[in-house]
Amino acid sequence: MTQRRPLVEALKNFQQQRPVSFHVPGHKHGVLSGLPDEIRSALQYDQTELSGLDDLHYPEGVIREAQNLLAEAYGTERSFFLVNGSTSGNMAMVHAVCKEGDRVLVQRNSHKSIFHALELAKLRPVYLTPEWGQSSHSAEGLSVETLKDALREYPEAKALILTYPNYYGMVGMEMKDIIEYCHQFNMPVLVDEAHGAHLLAGPPFPQSALAYGADAVVQSAHKTLPAMTMGSFLHIQGERINVNKIRKYLRMFQSSSPSYLIMASLDDARSYIQTYSNPDIQYFVEKRKLFTDSLKTIYGLELFESDDPLKMMLRVENYNGFRLQEKMEEMGVYAEMADSRQVVVILPLLKQGHTYPFAEIRSRIREAVQKLRKEQPDSKLLITPQEMVSISEPDISYEAIGLADSEWISYTQAIGRYSAAMVTPYPPGIPLILPGEVWTQGKIEQLMDHLAAGAMIQGEHNLADKQLSVIQHGGNNQ
């Protein structure tokens, strides 16, 4: 374990020299900034590629040392700082592994950045539907059987792209078997582990996909570690990924003016998790148990504990999650997200000595629940996912979609038409339709059911006017 933070230390040493700025950025160490004092004071560390501060895209000094410490912490061959979020890491790993026209297997409830990467790389995706968790009310992990069926049908597939854990902290039980099966065919496994940067801490947290042998793993350090928003990690291990290609695409997909504040926070976050000790884990577990036990005493509140101890779901019987979220926010408690059944909460990864106002939070949640239960219950609550095809592919290619024009039409007119956009109800968080797939009567009915139950719909749509985006007739359907 190491507490060294090379980039943080370099920035502190640089600033102690009282340097004069005749360079970018234009705020001149914050002197010209009109931001609040609390923010402006941080701008003295918002530097650029100056002597002694290294260059993210061609690191030879403190950034290289910081990234080497990152790789050492996570036990990988190469690890990289990402300043454009996990999106840039997802883009880079997909492009580094696949070339135009390649067939790839993709978990259907992937983040939109994965689908954008597939489109930009002009790949031919095969969508694999994950298993539904009856207890978590969420789409969890992929099954080995679905993977085996897909590889029998598409033996030419070049890579498997997975999401692990899901937004709700559920990991599924077959990740190790899935990765080992892919490696039998020398197929690389790329994992969007945005919500898993903290899994390095060890039990009681689940294992990272890195521990199971995943070839490339992207983590959002800002989601569960103390890094700034947009700060993420990309890890590479094994011989199936060309590291030089990774570097090439990171230079393309990341800013040429990377934020030193974000990079410093990544250096600090790595040190935080690398020095997370057994006493820290014990402290976190004890504080968490006291909090969860106190929540369980709130009348009418149901607590569901995720696979990941950092996450939990709050439910009130006969009331949807959006209404509970609204009441919690009225009490000043802001959760990560809500769906039509529950509210998802992300706890702080405390170390010894850290305090958090859990007693006050419990009191506010109790009042929120009491307020909610005085209101009229919901007539329709939980959406159980309709039967979905386990393995599918779009009917037309990304190239054809890109060449075609789109138009907005009503729900009923959309039946039989190719969707020009992704539409994803939460729950279950699995895209109901992806670009190039056909709107069927069944999919329209599912969409109406989701809307009636109060689900949040992500994607490009105009549901307020009951319109969907479809490809105009006469497009190339190759």
Side-chain angles (χ1 to χ4, degrees), residues 2 63-81 200 210 219 233-237 267 270 274:
T2 178
I63 294 177
R64 179 177 180 178
E65 184 181 357
Q67 291 189 145
N68 286 342
L69 287 171
L70 178 63
E72 176 186 307
Y74 283 86
T76 63
E77 273 88 4
R78 294 286 188 277
S79 291
F80 301 89
F81 286 166
L200 181 65
L210 286 168
Q219 299 170 331
F233 302 143
L234 169 59
H235 306 287
I236 305 298
Q237 61 184 1
D267 194 20
R270 183 272 312 155
Q274 192 172 11

PDB file of all heavy atoms in Angstrom, residues 2 63-81 200 210 219 233-237 267 270 274:
ATOM      1  N   THR A   2       0.406   2.268  -0.683  1.00  0.00           N
ATOM      2  CA  THR A   2       1.188   3.495  -0.732  1.00  0.00           C
ATOM      3  C   THR A   2       0.278   4.704  -0.636  1.00  0.00           C
ATOM      4  O   THR A   2      -0.812   4.731  -1.210  1.00  0.00           O
ATOM      5  CB  THR A   2       2.018   3.580  -2.031  1.00  0.00           C
ATOM      6  OG1 THR A   2       2.713   4.829  -2.040  1.00  0.00           O
ATOM      7  CG2 THR A   2       1.144   3.487  -3.267  1.00  0.00           C
ATOM      8  N   ILE A  63       2.783  12.050 -14.167  1.00  0.00           N
ATOM      9  CA  ILE A  63       1.549  11.378 -14.598  1.00  0.00           C
ATOM     10  C   ILE A  63       1.844   9.917 -14.904  1.00  0.00           C
ATOM     11  O   ILE A  63       1.062   9.019 -14.554  1.00  0.00           O
ATOM     12  CB  ILE A  63       0.927  12.091 -15.819  1.00  0.00           C
ATOM     13  CG1 ILE A  63       0.457  13.492 -15.419  1.00  0.00           C
ATOM     14  CG2 ILE A  63      -0.239  11.272 -16.382  1.00  0.00           C
ATOM     15  CD1 ILE A  63      -0.107  14.310 -16.570  1.00  0.00           C
ATOM     16  N   ARG A  64       2.970   9.663 -15.532  1.00  0.00           N
ATOM     17  CA  ARG A  64       3.353   8.269 -15.780  1.00  0.00           C
ATOM     18  C   ARG A  64       3.522   7.515 -14.462  1.00  0.00           C
ATOM     19  O   ARG A  64       3.057   6.373 -14.320  1.00  0.00           O
ATOM     20  CB  ARG A  64       4.654   8.224 -16.573  1.00  0.00           C
ATOM     21  CG  ARG A  64       5.146   6.807 -16.869  1.00  0.00           C
ATOM     22  CD  ARG A  64       6.403   6.838 -17.709  1.00  0.00           C
ATOM     23  NE  ARG A  64       6.887   5.492 -18.015  1.00  0.00           N
ATOM     24  CZ  ARG A  64       7.946   5.226 -18.758  1.00  0.00           C
ATOM     25  NH1 ARG A  64       8.648   6.223 -19.287  1.00  0.00           N
ATOM     26  NH2 ARG A  64       8.313   3.984 -18.987  1.00  0.00           N
ATOM     27  N   GLU A  65       4.154   8.160 -13.491  1.00  0.00           N
ATOM     28  CA  GLU A  65       4.338   7.527 -12.185  1.00  0.00           C
ATOM     29  C   GLU A  65       2.991   7.265 -11.523  1.00  0.00           C
ATOM     30  O   GLU A  65       2.757   6.193 -10.946  1.00  0.00           O
ATOM     31  CB  GLU A  65       5.199   8.423 -11.289  1.00  0.00           C
ATOM     32  CG  GLU A  65       5.512   7.792  -9.933  1.00  0.00           C
ATOM     33  CD  GLU A  65       6.336   8.707  -9.047  1.00  0.00           C
ATOM     34  OE1 GLU A  65       6.717   9.811  -9.492  1.00  0.00           O
ATOM     35  OE2 GLU A  65       6.573   8.316  -7.882  1.00  0.00           O
ATOM     36  N   ALA A  66       2.073   8.224 -11.630  1.00  0.00           N
ATOM     37  CA  ALA A  66       0.754   8.065 -11.019  1.00  0.00           C
ATOM     38  C   ALA A  66      -0.026   6.934 -11.685  1.00  0.00           C
ATOM     39  O   ALA A  66      -0.720   6.159 -11.005  1.00  0.00           O
ATOM     40  CB  ALA A  66      -0.018   9.378 -11.113  1.00  0.00           C
ATOM     41  N   GLN A  67       0.084   6.822 -13.002  1.00  0.00           N
ATOM     42  CA  GLN A  67      -0.616   5.741 -13.700  1.00  0.00           C
ATOM     43  C   GLN A  67       0.023   4.389 -13.417  1.00  0.00           C
ATOM     44  O   GLN A  67      -0.678   3.368 -13.367  1.00  0.00           O
ATOM     45  CB  GLN A  67      -0.667   6.036 -15.205  1.00  0.00           C
ATOM     46  CG  GLN A  67      -1.564   7.206 -15.550  1.00  0.00           C
ATOM     47  CD  GLN A  67      -1.797   7.375 -17.040  1.00  0.00           C
ATOM     48  OE1 GLN A  67      -2.870   7.763 -17.478  1.00  0.00           O
ATOM     49  NE2 GLN A  67      -0.789   7.092 -17.840  1.00  0.00           N
ATOM     50  N   ASN A  68       1.333   4.365 -13.216  1.00  0.00           N
ATOM     51  CA  ASN A  68       1.996   3.115 -12.829  1.00  0.00           C
ATOM     52  C   ASN A  68       1.514   2.658 -11.448  1.00  0.00           C
ATOM     53  O   ASN A  68       1.321   1.462 -11.205  1.00  0.00           O
ATOM     54  CB  ASN A  68       3.508   3.288 -12.824  1.00  0.00           C
ATOM     55  CG  ASN A  68       4.095   3.343 -14.229  1.00  0.00           C
ATOM     56  OD1 ASN A  68       3.451   2.940 -15.195  1.00  0.00           O
ATOM     57  ND2 ASN A  68       5.313   3.841 -14.345  1.00  0.00           N
ATOM     58  N   LEU A  69       1.332   3.607 -10.542  1.00  0.00           N
ATOM     59  CA  LEU A  69       0.800   3.274  -9.221  1.00  0.00           C
ATOM     60  C   LEU A  69      -0.628   2.765  -9.323  1.00  0.00           C
ATOM     61  O   LEU A  69      -1.046   1.872  -8.567  1.00  0.00           O
ATOM     62  CB  LEU A  69       0.861   4.495  -8.301  1.00  0.00           C
ATOM     63  CG  LEU A  69       2.246   4.892  -7.793  1.00  0.00           C
ATOM     64  CD1 LEU A  69       2.187   6.237  -7.068  1.00  0.00           C
ATOM     65  CD2 LEU A  69       2.810   3.822  -6.871  1.00  0.00           C
ATOM     66  N   LEU A  70      -1.390   3.312 -10.278  1.00  0.00           N
ATOM     67  CA  LEU A  70      -2.759   2.846 -10.516  1.00  0.00           C
ATOM     68  C   LEU A  70      -2.750   1.394 -10.979  1.00  0.00           C
ATOM     69  O   LEU A  70      -3.527   0.560 -10.480  1.00  0.00           O
ATOM     70  CB  LEU A  70      -3.444   3.742 -11.549  1.00  0.00           C
ATOM     71  CG  LEU A  70      -4.859   3.373 -11.961  1.00  0.00           C
ATOM     72  CD1 LEU A  70      -5.811   3.444 -10.781  1.00  0.00           C
ATOM     73  CD2 LEU A  70      -5.341   4.281 -13.099  1.00  0.00           C
ATOM     74  N   ALA A  71      -1.869   1.082 -11.925  1.00  0.00           N
ATOM     75  CA  ALA A  71      -1.767  -0.300 -12.411  1.00  0.00           C
ATOM     76  C   ALA A  71      -1.313  -1.232 -11.287  1.00  0.00           C
ATOM     77  O   ALA A  71      -1.818  -2.359 -11.156  1.00  0.00           O
ATOM     78  CB  ALA A  71      -0.787  -0.365 -13.591  1.00  0.00           C
ATOM     79  N   GLU A  72      -0.396  -0.758 -10.474  1.00  0.00           N
ATOM     80  CA  GLU A  72       0.079  -1.567  -9.340  1.00  0.00           C
ATOM     81  C   GLU A  72      -1.055  -1.849  -8.361  1.00  0.00           C
ATOM     82  O   GLU A  72      -1.208  -2.969  -7.867  1.00  0.00           O
ATOM     83  CB  GLU A  72       1.206  -0.804  -8.635  1.00  0.00           C
ATOM     84  CG  GLU A  72       1.733  -1.479  -7.378  1.00  0.00           C
ATOM     85  CD  GLU A  72       2.735  -0.589  -6.654  1.00  0.00           C
ATOM     86  OE1 GLU A  72       3.698  -0.132  -7.305  1.00  0.00           O
ATOM     87  OE2 GLU A  72       2.537  -0.341  -5.446  1.00  0.00           O
ATOM     88  N   ALA A  73      -1.871  -0.833  -8.105  1.00  0.00           N
ATOM     89  CA  ALA A  73      -2.975  -0.992  -7.151  1.00  0.00           C
ATOM     90  C   ALA A  73      -3.980  -2.025  -7.635  1.00  0.00           C
ATOM     91  O   ALA A  73      -4.440  -2.871  -6.850  1.00  0.00           O
ATOM     92  CB  ALA A  73      -3.658   0.353  -6.924  1.00  0.00           C
ATOM     93  N   TYR A  74      -4.316  -1.985  -8.921  1.00  0.00           N
ATOM     94  CA  TYR A  74      -5.353  -2.867  -9.454  1.00  0.00           C
ATOM     95  C   TYR A  74      -4.789  -4.151 -10.059  1.00  0.00           C
ATOM     96  O   TYR A  74      -5.561  -4.994 -10.534  1.00  0.00           O
ATOM     97  CB  TYR A  74      -6.204  -2.116 -10.494  1.00  0.00           C
ATOM     98  CG  TYR A  74      -7.196  -1.164  -9.850  1.00  0.00           C
ATOM     99  CD1 TYR A  74      -6.827   0.133  -9.513  1.00  0.00           C
ATOM    100  CD2 TYR A  74      -8.496  -1.569  -9.563  1.00  0.00           C
ATOM    101  CE1 TYR A  74      -7.726   1.010  -8.920  1.00  0.00           C
ATOM    102  CE2 TYR A  74      -9.407  -0.707  -8.974  1.00  0.00           C
ATOM    103  CZ  TYR A  74      -9.017   0.582  -8.648  1.00  0.00           C
ATOM    104  OH  TYR A  74      -9.917   1.449  -8.047  1.00  0.00           O
ATOM    105  N   GLY A  75      -3.465  -4.296 -10.039  1.00  0.00           N
ATOM    106  CA  GLY A  75      -2.844  -5.526 -10.501  1.00  0.00           C
ATOM    107  C   GLY A  75      -2.941  -5.749 -11.987  1.00  0.00           C
ATOM    108  O   GLY A  75      -3.105  -6.887 -12.450  1.00  0.00           O
ATOM    109  N   THR A  76      -2.810  -4.685 -12.770  1.00  0.00           N
ATOM    110  CA  THR A  76      -2.944  -4.785 -14.228  1.00  0.00           C
ATOM    111  C   THR A  76      -1.619  -4.485 -14.916  1.00  0.00           C
ATOM    112  O   THR A  76      -0.684  -3.953 -14.305  1.00  0.00           O
ATOM    113  CB  THR A  76      -4.008  -3.798 -14.740  1.00  0.00           C
ATOM    114  OG1 THR A  76      -3.582  -2.454 -14.455  1.00  0.00           O
ATOM    115  CG2 THR A  76      -5.348  -4.058 -14.075  1.00  0.00           C
ATOM    116  N   GLU A  77      -1.564  -4.820 -16.214  1.00  0.00           N
ATOM    117  CA  GLU A  77      -0.372  -4.481 -16.995  1.00  0.00           C
ATOM    118  C   GLU A  77      -0.287  -2.975 -17.261  1.00  0.00           C
ATOM    119  O   GLU A  77       0.777  -2.376 -17.171  1.00  0.00           O
ATOM    120  CB  GLU A  77      -0.371  -5.237 -18.334  1.00  0.00           C
ATOM    121  CG  GLU A  77       0.257  -6.607 -18.259  1.00  0.00           C
ATOM    122  CD  GLU A  77      -0.760  -7.666 -17.857  1.00  0.00           C
ATOM    123  OE1 GLU A  77      -1.953  -7.318 -17.726  1.00  0.00           O
ATOM    124  OE2 GLU A  77      -0.374  -8.839 -17.670  1.00  0.00           O
ATOM    125  N   ARG A  78      -1.425  -2.376 -17.617  1.00  0.00           N
ATOM    126  CA  ARG A  78      -1.484  -0.951 -17.915  1.00  0.00           C
ATOM    127  C   ARG A  78      -2.786  -0.385 -17.376  1.00  0.00           C
ATOM    128  O   ARG A  78      -3.842  -1.011 -17.479  1.00  0.00           O
ATOM    129  CB  ARG A  78      -1.423  -0.684 -19.429  1.00  0.00           C
ATOM    130  CG  ARG A  78      -0.117  -1.051 -20.104  1.00  0.00           C
ATOM    131  CD  ARG A  78       0.991  -0.051 -19.778  1.00  0.00           C
ATOM    132  NE  ARG A  78       2.184  -0.310 -20.580  1.00  0.00           N
ATOM    133  CZ  ARG A  78       3.114  -1.209 -20.288  1.00  0.00           C
ATOM    134  NH1 ARG A  78       2.970  -1.966 -19.217  1.00  0.00           N
ATOM    135  NH2 ARG A  78       4.171  -1.371 -21.059  1.00  0.00           N
ATOM    136  N   SER A  79      -2.696   0.815 -16.813  1.00  0.00           N
ATOM    137  CA  SER A  79      -3.886   1.526 -16.372  1.00  0.00           C
ATOM    138  C   SER A  79      -3.742   2.991 -16.760  1.00  0.00           C
ATOM    139  O   SER A  79      -2.632   3.537 -16.774  1.00  0.00           O
ATOM    140  CB  SER A  79      -4.087   1.397 -14.862  1.00  0.00           C
ATOM    141  OG  SER A  79      -4.425   0.070 -14.501  1.00  0.00           O
ATOM    142  N   PHE A  80      -4.876   3.615 -17.065  1.00  0.00           N
ATOM    143  CA  PHE A  80      -4.865   4.975 -17.607  1.00  0.00           C
ATOM    144  C   PHE A  80      -5.856   5.857 -16.852  1.00  0.00           C
ATOM    145  O   PHE A  80      -6.934   5.406 -16.465  1.00  0.00           O
ATOM    146  CB  PHE A  80      -5.238   4.968 -19.094  1.00  0.00           C
ATOM    147  CG  PHE A  80      -4.320   4.149 -19.954  1.00  0.00           C
ATOM    148  CD1 PHE A  80      -4.566   2.794 -20.163  1.00  0.00           C
ATOM    149  CD2 PHE A  80      -3.214   4.721 -20.557  1.00  0.00           C
ATOM    150  CE1 PHE A  80      -3.729   2.030 -20.951  1.00  0.00           C
ATOM    151  CE2 PHE A  80      -2.362   3.959 -21.358  1.00  0.00           C
ATOM    152  CZ  PHE A  80      -2.620   2.612 -21.554  1.00  0.00           C
ATOM    153  N   PHE A  81      -5.480   7.135 -16.697  1.00  0.00           N
ATOM    154  CA  PHE A  81      -6.411   8.135 -16.205  1.00  0.00           C
ATOM    155  C   PHE A  81      -7.318   8.572 -17.352  1.00  0.00           C
ATOM    156  O   PHE A  81      -6.852   8.790 -18.482  1.00  0.00           O
ATOM    157  CB  PHE A  81      -5.666   9.373 -15.690  1.00  0.00           C
ATOM    158  CG  PHE A  81      -4.975   9.185 -14.366  1.00  0.00           C
ATOM    159  CD1 PHE A  81      -4.045  10.122 -13.931  1.00  0.00           C
ATOM    160  CD2 PHE A  81      -5.251   8.105 -13.545  1.00  0.00           C
ATOM    161  CE1 PHE A  81      -3.402   9.986 -12.713  1.00  0.00           C
ATOM    162  CE2 PHE A  81      -4.614   7.943 -12.321  1.00  0.00           C
ATOM    163  CZ  PHE A  81      -3.688   8.893 -11.904  1.00  0.00           C
ATOM    164  N   LEU A 200     -12.017  -3.018  -5.460  1.00  0.00           N
ATOM    165  CA  LEU A 200     -10.659  -3.393  -5.075  1.00  0.00           C
ATOM    166  C   LEU A 200     -10.534  -3.586  -3.562  1.00  0.00           C
ATOM    167  O   LEU A 200      -9.632  -4.291  -3.090  1.00  0.00           O
ATOM    168  CB  LEU A 200      -9.673  -2.315  -5.547  1.00  0.00           C
ATOM    169  CG  LEU A 200      -8.189  -2.531  -5.256  1.00  0.00           C
ATOM    170  CD1 LEU A 200      -7.669  -3.745  -6.009  1.00  0.00           C
ATOM    171  CD2 LEU A 200      -7.394  -1.286  -5.622  1.00  0.00           C
ATOM    172  N   LEU A 210     -11.865  -7.541 -13.177  1.00  0.00           N
ATOM    173  CA  LEU A 210     -10.422  -7.726 -13.355  1.00  0.00           C
ATOM    174  C   LEU A 210      -9.953  -9.006 -12.679  1.00  0.00           C
ATOM    175  O   LEU A 210      -9.113  -9.737 -13.210  1.00  0.00           O
ATOM    176  CB  LEU A 210      -9.669  -6.529 -12.769  1.00  0.00           C
ATOM    177  CG  LEU A 210      -9.726  -5.226 -13.559  1.00  0.00           C
ATOM    178  CD1 LEU A 210      -9.201  -4.075 -12.715  1.00  0.00           C
ATOM    179  CD2 LEU A 210      -8.943  -5.341 -14.862  1.00  0.00           C
ATOM    180  N   GLN A 219     -13.683   1.991 -15.291  1.00  0.00           N
ATOM    181  CA  GLN A 219     -14.313   2.291 -14.003  1.00  0.00           C
ATOM    182  C   GLN A 219     -14.478   3.798 -13.828  1.00  0.00           C
ATOM    183  O   GLN A 219     -13.555   4.556 -14.101  1.00  0.00           O
ATOM    184  CB  GLN A 219     -13.454   1.759 -12.847  1.00  0.00           C
ATOM    185  CG  GLN A 219     -13.232   0.264 -12.856  1.00  0.00           C
ATOM    186  CD  GLN A 219     -12.182  -0.163 -11.848  1.00  0.00           C
ATOM    187  OE1 GLN A 219     -11.267   0.598 -11.533  1.00  0.00           O
ATOM    188  NE2 GLN A 219     -12.309  -1.383 -11.335  1.00  0.00           N
ATOM    189  N   PHE A 233     -11.041   5.466 -14.682  1.00  0.00           N
ATOM    190  CA  PHE A 233      -9.872   4.625 -14.943  1.00  0.00           C
ATOM    191  C   PHE A 233     -10.163   3.680 -16.097  1.00  0.00           C
ATOM    192  O   PHE A 233     -11.291   3.225 -16.266  1.00  0.00           O
ATOM    193  CB  PHE A 233      -9.528   3.757 -13.721  1.00  0.00           C
ATOM    194  CG  PHE A 233      -9.245   4.497 -12.447  1.00  0.00           C
ATOM    195  CD1 PHE A 233      -9.671   3.976 -11.224  1.00  0.00           C
ATOM    196  CD2 PHE A 233      -8.528   5.687 -12.438  1.00  0.00           C
ATOM    197  CE1 PHE A 233      -9.407   4.622 -10.028  1.00  0.00           C
ATOM    198  CE2 PHE A 233      -8.257   6.355 -11.249  1.00  0.00           C
ATOM    199  CZ  PHE A 233      -8.698   5.817 -10.042  1.00  0.00           C
ATOM    200  N   LEU A 234      -9.119   3.344 -16.842  1.00  0.00           N
ATOM    201  CA  LEU A 234      -9.169   2.271 -17.835  1.00  0.00           C
ATOM    202  C   LEU A 234      -8.024   1.314 -17.543  1.00  0.00           C
ATOM    203  O   LEU A 234      -6.865   1.726 -17.465  1.00  0.00           O
ATOM    204  CB  LEU A 234      -9.046   2.824 -19.261  1.00  0.00           C
ATOM    205  CG  LEU A 234      -8.814   1.801 -20.386  1.00  0.00           C
ATOM    206  CD1 LEU A 234      -9.941   0.773 -20.447  1.00  0.00           C
ATOM    207  CD2 LEU A 234      -8.666   2.502 -21.726  1.00  0.00           C
ATOM    208  N   HIS A 235      -8.361   0.029 -17.372  1.00  0.00           N
ATOM    209  CA  HIS A 235      -7.366  -0.994 -17.051  1.00  0.00           C
ATOM    210  C   HIS A 235      -7.267  -2.013 -18.184  1.00  0.00           C
ATOM    211  O   HIS A 235      -8.288  -2.436 -18.732  1.00  0.00           O
ATOM    212  CB  HIS A 235      -7.747  -1.739 -15.768  1.00  0.00           C
ATOM    213  CG  HIS A 235      -7.995  -0.849 -14.590  1.00  0.00           C
ATOM    214  ND1 HIS A 235      -6.988  -0.203 -13.919  1.00  0.00           N
ATOM    215  CD2 HIS A 235      -9.162  -0.503 -13.961  1.00  0.00           C
ATOM    216  CE1 HIS A 235      -7.499   0.498 -12.915  1.00  0.00           C
ATOM    217  NE2 HIS A 235      -8.813   0.329 -12.917  1.00  0.00           N
ATOM    218  N   ILE A 236      -6.044  -2.441 -18.483  1.00  0.00           N
ATOM    219  CA  ILE A 236      -5.786  -3.440 -19.518  1.00  0.00           C
ATOM    220  C   ILE A 236      -4.928  -4.548 -18.928  1.00  0.00           C
ATOM    221  O   ILE A 236      -3.955  -4.282 -18.221  1.00  0.00           O
ATOM    222  CB  ILE A 236      -5.036  -2.816 -20.717  1.00  0.00           C
ATOM    223  CG1 ILE A 236      -5.792  -1.610 -21.274  1.00  0.00           C
ATOM    224  CG2 ILE A 236      -4.809  -3.869 -21.807  1.00  0.00           C
ATOM    225  CD1 ILE A 236      -7.162  -1.927 -21.825  1.00  0.00           C
ATOM    226  N   GLN A 237      -5.283  -5.802 -19.219  1.00  0.00           N
ATOM    227  CA  GLN A 237      -4.441  -6.924 -18.787  1.00  0.00           C
ATOM    228  C   GLN A 237      -4.507  -8.040 -19.833  1.00  0.00           C
ATOM    229  O   GLN A 237      -5.453  -8.131 -20.608  1.00  0.00           O
ATOM    230  CB  GLN A 237      -4.874  -7.442 -17.419  1.00  0.00           C
ATOM    231  CG  GLN A 237      -6.285  -7.963 -17.327  1.00  0.00           C
ATOM    232  CD  GLN A 237      -6.655  -8.379 -15.899  1.00  0.00           C
ATOM    233  OE1 GLN A 237      -5.882  -8.263 -14.961  1.00  0.00           O
ATOM    234  NE2 GLN A 237      -7.873  -8.883 -15.743  1.00  0.00           N
ATOM    235  N   ASP A 267      -5.481  10.696  -8.920  1.00  0.00           N
ATOM    236  CA  ASP A 267      -4.293  10.291  -8.165  1.00  0.00           C
ATOM    237  C   ASP A 267      -4.656  10.093  -6.693  1.00  0.00           C
ATOM    238  O   ASP A 267      -4.254   9.122  -6.047  1.00  0.00           O
ATOM    239  CB  ASP A 267      -3.209  11.371  -8.321  1.00  0.00           C
ATOM    240  CG  ASP A 267      -1.837  10.905  -7.871  1.00  0.00           C
ATOM    241  OD1 ASP A 267      -1.604   9.683  -7.787  1.00  0.00           O
ATOM    242  OD2 ASP A 267      -0.985  11.786  -7.622  1.00  0.00           O
ATOM    243  N   ARG A 270      -7.006   6.965  -6.267  1.00  0.00           N
ATOM    244  CA  ARG A 270      -6.225   5.723  -6.300  1.00  0.00           C
ATOM    245  C   ARG A 270      -5.547   5.474  -4.968  1.00  0.00           C
ATOM    246  O   ARG A 270      -5.562   4.361  -4.425  1.00  0.00           O
ATOM    247  CB  ARG A 270      -5.183   5.821  -7.435  1.00  0.00           C
ATOM    248  CG  ARG A 270      -4.339   4.550  -7.645  1.00  0.00           C
ATOM    249  CD  ARG A 270      -3.093   4.516  -6.773  1.00  0.00           C
ATOM    250  NE  ARG A 270      -2.370   5.775  -6.839  1.00  0.00           N
ATOM    251  CZ  ARG A 270      -1.567   6.209  -5.880  1.00  0.00           C
ATOM    252  NH1 ARG A 270      -1.375   5.489  -4.780  1.00  0.00           N
ATOM    253  NH2 ARG A 270      -0.955   7.367  -5.995  1.00  0.00           N
ATOM    254  N   GLN A 274      -6.227   2.295  -2.566  1.00  0.00           N
ATOM    255  CA  GLN A 274      -5.043   1.447  -2.394  1.00  0.00           C
ATOM    256  C   GLN A 274      -4.669   1.315  -0.921  1.00  0.00           C
ATOM    257  O   GLN A 274      -4.103   0.301  -0.509  1.00  0.00           O
ATOM    258  CB  GLN A 274      -3.861   1.997  -3.194  1.00  0.00           C
ATOM    259  CG  GLN A 274      -2.685   1.029  -3.292  1.00  0.00           C
ATOM    260  CD  GLN A 274      -1.606   1.518  -4.236  1.00  0.00           C
ATOM    261  OE1 GLN A 274      -1.616   2.663  -4.673  1.00  0.00           O
ATOM    262  NE2 GLN A 274      -0.669   0.645  -4.564  1.00  0.00           N
TER     263      GLN A 274
END
